[in-house]
Amino acid sequence: MAGYRELSTDVLIIGSEAAGARAAIEAAQQAEVLLVTKSIMGKSGVTLKAVFSVSAAFGYADPRDNPGVHLKDTVVKGRFVNNQRLAELVCYEALERMDELTKWGVPWDRSPDGRYLQTKMYGHTYARCLSVGFAVGIAWMKVLKKMVRRCPRVRIFNDLFISNYLRSPQGAVVGALGLDLRSGEVVVIKSKAVIDCTGGGMYLYKICSGTPESTADGMAMAYRAGAQLVDMEFVQFWPLAVVTPWALKEDEGVSAFMRTWLKARLFNNLGERFMEKYDPENMEFADRDVLSRAIFFEVKEARGTPNGAVWLDARHLGKEAIEEVVAKMAPNWTLRGINLLEHGLDLREVAVEVCPTAHFFCGGIRVDERWASTVPGLFAAGESVGGVHGANRLPGAAFIETQVSAQRAGKYAAQYARDAGQEEPDREMLSQEIDRINSVLKRSGRWRPIHLRKRLQELMWEKVGIVRNGSNLELALQQILSIRAEELPKVCPGIKGRIFNMEWMEALELENLLEAAELVTRAALFRQESRGSHYREDFPNSRPQWLNNIVIQKNQGPQLTTAPVAATRISLEEGIEGSSA
Amino acid sequence: MKEVRLKVLRYDPDSGKPPEFKSYTVPYLEGMSVLMALEAVQEKEPLTFRYSCQIGLCNICQVRVNGKPVLSCKAVIKEPTELVIEPVKGHPLLRDLAVDMDRRVSDDSPGRSIPGGKDA
């Protein structure tokens, strides 16, 4: 067997941001923890990019609000296919988790009475969203990093790419294998439990609000390890990402600010306020899926800008009113450290080009209420988990999911580690995986990972994106399978050395992207209806027989089955009424 | 066609050679960032540099441009020009513009890399 370095711990946590950090803090109360990330903790990942809302039904702004109403909103907007038990836990335990963050130092915005300021966001019945200016993600990571550093039992390992879980001969997850990027050494980590906190797979798409880390690593690895995944077809698009100026491409902060605080309006390239056609009641505050589709259709039908965008325009407010809001909320025209005027964004004078972007994976690893997957030893928390949000996620929900899921996964993983002890990995599997990692480096071939990745991103955007149809999905599936079989083996890192070879990691990530691409596409093909963020032109309505979840498990290849939605708290009647045959 | 000329400090830790500058030309786009220019180079040949959020929040894309430390994603190239791009000082060099952010070196000359991950 080729050489490797060995590490061991009680609980291995993969992914270091909102979910990973919180899971580490929890697990460290009972166990030794190794927290690894393929980049640098607090300097990467999607958490930092979060702009505004964190939904928690304290009922301060509106005493009619409570977690029960929040749960109802979550299920209604999730189009009734949420895992209600998980959604319930997230809505109810959010309060304790947010108060805990307060204790740890998160400087939430406050209302004049000193309690949390709560804003009403679209999709929520009452005002319940907490915030920290326009940079809640940065505030959270500062605090979470500080709290992780206070745990003596947590070791952090940066620049360590995990390529696969390790399994025992009986199939339990007993650790993971990876690549220490800095030294180029293969690393074998034995652990009694693993918590996957690797986030979503938005990098599957040409235009995304994720980061280069969002390559669906955890979902792909869990699938390979035999775990069930669920709801993979539900990829949420956020409608208003900036297109130009180029340096602010894919930023969501500027547009969120414009829409929420400047009441900005959307216009196509003909000057029409097109949301009249699609959702006259909610207009620019329509649900994310409705808004994303509307913009998609406008652009597709040649009413968009040459850059494939529409215009977000606040000028109707008038210069004085805009100046007043800016002075209060973005003094000096600076939002999250970006000076808008320096980028040519004088919002009194110009409109901003925006378009939808792949934003969040509602689906992922299937878990129970301990956030334990269907494979013993493997837990998961945060976005890599499927089921909480159903077919469409509410604003502010991802963040509370990270904390509730991570606290539970951390606690139960640590208990599991204590009870299960360390099992030995299957030697054959271990040897094969080490060979696989090394062989990728030694390949000679036609394409660098970047080129194949761009092709895949283009394919997914065109055929498995905001608007889908059966024949495009079939074509996409064929192309994905063909890329995996014929072209992936010829992908070769352009850098040959072992030390800090990011192209080596990118080639390995490409395998995860292709895995996830296949699973998303198969699920999208299987669901012959439209629901939430999954829209099929050939089946444009929701159908009552599809009030279920698509579960995927590896059985030679991907096996897709359906599981009925369990209405543990919220009746599905409204969901049935809202659909047509 | 307007162009930006880049002189980028390249470093291959396996080569045994010290870092040296290599020149590139990429198309100039109004309002483009240094990061976009580096990506344009990377499209044609392997070049190692770090980035993540691309909107000035994560700080991982730090480089020196004309001697000055900046975030490559926020540094807007205001006109077609020539830029010298090097890694930031104070950290061991890993490859090209990527440095080991967990270690510091007091001697800020590039080339003193310390391979091997931080002991976990």
Side-chain angles (χ1 to χ4, degrees):
Chain A
M1 207 185 296
Y4 59 86
R5 171 145 59 115
E6 196 174 294
L7 299 171
S8 66
T9 189
D10 293 334
V11 178
L12 168 64
I13 300 176
I14 307 169
S16 58
E17 301 309 288
R22 184 60 185 87
I25 294 164
E26 191 68 31
Q29 295 192 32
Q30 303 180 58
E32 297 295 316
V33 174
L34 185 58
L35 177 58
V36 314
T37 164
K38 62 183 177 177
S39 185
I40 308 278
M41 183 180 182
K43 285 187 156 63
S44 60
V46 167
T47 299
L48 286 172
K49 295 179 77 169
V51 183
F52 188 66
S53 50
V54 177
S55 50
F58 285 97
Y60 296 152
D62 194 322
R64 292 173 295 177
D65 196 22
N66 59 60
V69 181
H70 190 183
L71 175 60
K72 175 99 199 273
D73 286 347
T74 302
V75 171
V76 167
K77 292 303 180 179
R79 311 299 201 270
F80 294 92
V81 291
N82 313 55
N83 177 323
Q84 291 192 14
R85 184 59 188 134
L86 296 183
E88 178 184 12
L89 285 165
V90 169
C91 289
Y92 279 82
E93 294 190 2
L95 308 193
E96 191 185 334
R97 298 279 73 80
M98 297 307 103
D99 280 339
E100 184 176 68
L101 287 175
T102 309
K103 203 173 75 176
W104 291 348
V106 168
W108 301 105
D109 295 329
R110 300 278 175 170
S111 62
D113 67 7
R115 299 190 295 184
Y116 303 131
L117 180 69
Q118 290 183 292
T119 305
K120 185 167 182 325
M121 292 292 287
Y122 53 93
H124 292 273
T125 300
Y126 300 119
R128 64 170 71 105
C129 288
L130 277 53
S131 54
V132 182
F134 293 108
V136 66
I138 296 181
W140 272 39
M141 275 322 293
K142 193 166 159 209
V143 164
L144 287 170
K145 255 182 97 166
K146 173 187 82 177
M147 296 310 292
V148 166
R149 288 215 170 100
R150 287 193 190 163
C151 299
R153 287 158 115 178
V154 178
R155 294 174 293 165
I156 302 170
F157 201 135
N158 287 319
D159 284 335
L160 175 54
F161 173 73
I162 297 297
S163 65
N164 252 331
Y165 301 129
L166 278 180
R167 285 187 290 144
S168 69
Q170 293 74 39
V173 166
V174 297
L177 253 162
L179 181 58
D180 174 355
L181 287 165
R182 293 174 194 169
S183 66
E185 272 182 294
V186 172
V187 177
V188 169
I189 304 170
K190 290 189 185 167
S191 68
K192 300 164 188 166
V194 173
I195 311 178
D196 184 280
C197 301
T198 53
M202 291 73 79
Y203 215 48
L204 222 51
Y205 290 90
K206 183 170 93 172
I207 305 173
C208 83
S209 66
T211 63
E213 292 83 50
S214 314
T215 50
D217 294 345
M219 291 185 264
M221 294 194 294
Y223 168 76
R224 290 196 287 266
Q228 287 180 356
L229 304 189
V230 71
D231 293 352
M232 289 301 288
E233 65 275 31
F234 299 121
V235 177
Q236 186 179 68
F237 291 80
W238 201 81
L240 307 176
V242 171
V243 172
T244 57
W246 300 113
L248 294 182
K249 193 160 59 81
E250 283 151 18
D251 175 59
E252 295 175 338
V254 174
S255 31
F257 170 75
M258 286 176 75
R259 178 172 59 165
T260 310
W261 302 109
L262 295 176
K263 302 287 176 255
R265 296 170 176 173
L266 282 169
F267 297 94
N268 61 25
N269 220 31
L270 306 175
E272 296 164 343
R273 198 173 167 201
F274 57 87
M275 285 311 293
E276 285 279 0
K277 280 185 298 198
Y278 299 95
D279 189 346
E281 194 195 322
N282 295 300
M283 297 294 282
E284 285 80 8
F285 285 96
D287 290 331
R288 289 170 177 189
D289 53 317
V290 172
L291 203 32
S292 294
R293 274 195 293 279
I295 297 172
F296 177 89
F297 282 125
E298 289 300 300
V299 171
K300 182 172 174 212
E301 288 160 23
R303 293 186 292 274
T305 71
N307 288 319
V310 294
W311 295 103
L312 186 62
D313 196 339
R315 291 176 292 181
H316 63 92
L317 216 58
K319 291 187 180 178
E320 267 180 41
I322 293 175
E323 282 161 13
E324 235 183 270
V325 174
V326 166
K328 197 165 142 228
M329 315 232 62
N332 222 18
W333 287 87
T334 301
L335 209 53
R336 307 204 291 177
I338 294 169
N339 185 295
L340 298 179
L341 298 181
E342 268 173 31
H343 287 275
L345 289 183
D346 183 341
L347 303 177
R348 299 165 294 191
E349 305 287 338
V350 302
V352 181
E353 274 185 281
V354 296
C355 82
T357 178
H359 181 70
F360 183 84
F361 265 54
C362 298
I365 302 168
R366 196 180 193 205
V367 298
D368 64 17
E369 52 186 77
R370 298 169 301 152
W371 267 262
S373 77
T374 52
V375 173
L378 178 62
F379 295 74
E383 191 179 346
S384 63
V385 168
V388 172
H389 311 289
N392 175 54
R393 174 170 78 69
L394 278 172
F399 257 27
I400 49 170
E401 178 184 23
T402 64
Q403 302 303 285
V404 172
S405 63
Q407 187 271 335
R408 293 180 74 90
K411 173 171 136 186
Y412 291 111
Q415 274 177 21
Y416 176 93
R418 210 184 43 216
D419 300 336
Q422 181 67 60
E423 289 180 60
E424 282 303 301
D426 181 305
R427 302 303 288 175
E428 186 60 40
M429 227 186 263
L430 175 59
S431 172
Q432 274 174 18
E433 181 61 15
I434 295 173
D435 286 345
R436 182 181 81 98
I437 297 176
N438 284 320
S439 72
V440 167
L441 181 62
K442 300 197 182 93
R443 269 189 215 144
S444 53
R446 276 193 71 181
W447 296 282
R448 287 167 57 212
I450 187 174
H451 299 127
L452 206 57
R453 183 177 71 231
K454 289 198 170 192
R455 273 182 50 207
L456 178 64
Q457 288 169 331
E458 181 81 44
L459 164 66
M460 290 302 285
W461 184 258
E462 294 299 321
K463 299 198 164 68
V464 196
I466 298 166
V467 173
R468 301 162 172 175
N469 65 59
S471 60
N472 270 349
L473 290 169
E474 290 278 6
L475 261 169
L477 184 58
Q478 274 169 42
Q479 283 176 280
I480 291 164
L481 294 175
S482 154
I483 291 175
R484 271 179 90 182
E486 326 251 327
E487 296 174 52
L488 181 63
K490 297 179 196 145
V491 160
C492 152
I495 300 168
K496 297 300 167 200
R498 294 191 86 96
I499 293 174
F500 210 72
N501 186 343
M502 288 180 78
E503 297 215 355
W504 188 7
M505 176 177 74
E506 285 169 31
L508 292 165
E509 283 172 333
L510 199 44
E511 312 220 12
N512 295 335
L513 284 170
L514 282 161
E515 198 89 81
E518 183 185 347
L519 301 181
V520 170
T521 307
R522 282 190 188 276
L525 249 175
F526 201 67
R527 183 172 290 276
Q528 290 186 336
E529 63 147 11
S530 291
R531 186 177 294 271
S533 52
H534 167 75
Y535 182 81
R536 290 226 4 205
E537 287 180 301
D538 45 349
F539 296 99
N541 298 313
S542 295
R543 301 161 83 195
Q545 65 265 42
W546 274 104
L547 254 158
N548 52 36
N549 301 103
I550 296 173
V551 176
I552 307 183
Q553 189 163 13
K554 187 170 181 181
N555 185 358
Q556 314 250 317
Q559 186 179 66
L560 278 69
T561 50
T562 54
V565 176
T568 49
R569 285 291 298 270
I570 307 289
S571 148
L572 302 180
E573 256 177 58
E574 211 180 299
I576 296 169
E577 277 159 26
S579 34
S580 47
Chain B
M1 148 93 106
K2 297 190 193 154
E3 290 176 333
V4 178
R5 285 188 315 284
L6 304 171
K7 268 178 67 180
V8 184
L9 194 66
R10 303 298 309 267
Y11 174 58
D12 177 353
D14 304 290
S15 67
K17 291 196 233 156
E20 62 181 11
F21 283 102
K22 193 166 170 191
S23 290
Y24 302 97
T25 305
V26 301
Y28 174 72
L29 272 179
E30 183 87 37
M32 72 188 295
S33 60
V34 167
L35 176 61
M36 288 172 70
L38 292 173
E39 286 176 316
V41 174
Q42 195 186 54
E43 185 86 34
K44 303 241 160 54
E45 69 174 71
L47 173 64
T48 300
F49 52 91
R50 296 202 196 239
Y51 66 100
S52 185
C53 77
Q54 301 170 75
I55 47 175
L57 299 174
C58 71
N59 283 357
I60 208 174
C61 66
Q62 302 169 50
V63 289
R64 273 182 296 153
V65 175
N66 296 344
K68 200 173 138 219
V70 296
L71 296 182
S72 70
C73 71
K74 274 175 81 167
V76 174
I77 305 176
K78 292 195 165 66
E79 62 200 356
T81 182
E82 175 168 292
L83 299 172
V84 175
I85 306 182
E86 302 165 275
V88 286
K89 297 186 183 187
H91 295 278
L93 195 50
L94 288 168
R95 184 182 289 273
D96 295 335
L97 300 170
V99 300
D100 181 339
M101 293 186 149
D102 284 331
R103 288 202 173 98
R104 299 200 147 265
V105 283
S106 51
D107 173 6
D108 66 5
S109 61
R112 275 203 48 211
S113 73
I114 305 174
K118 178 176 160 141
D119 276 329

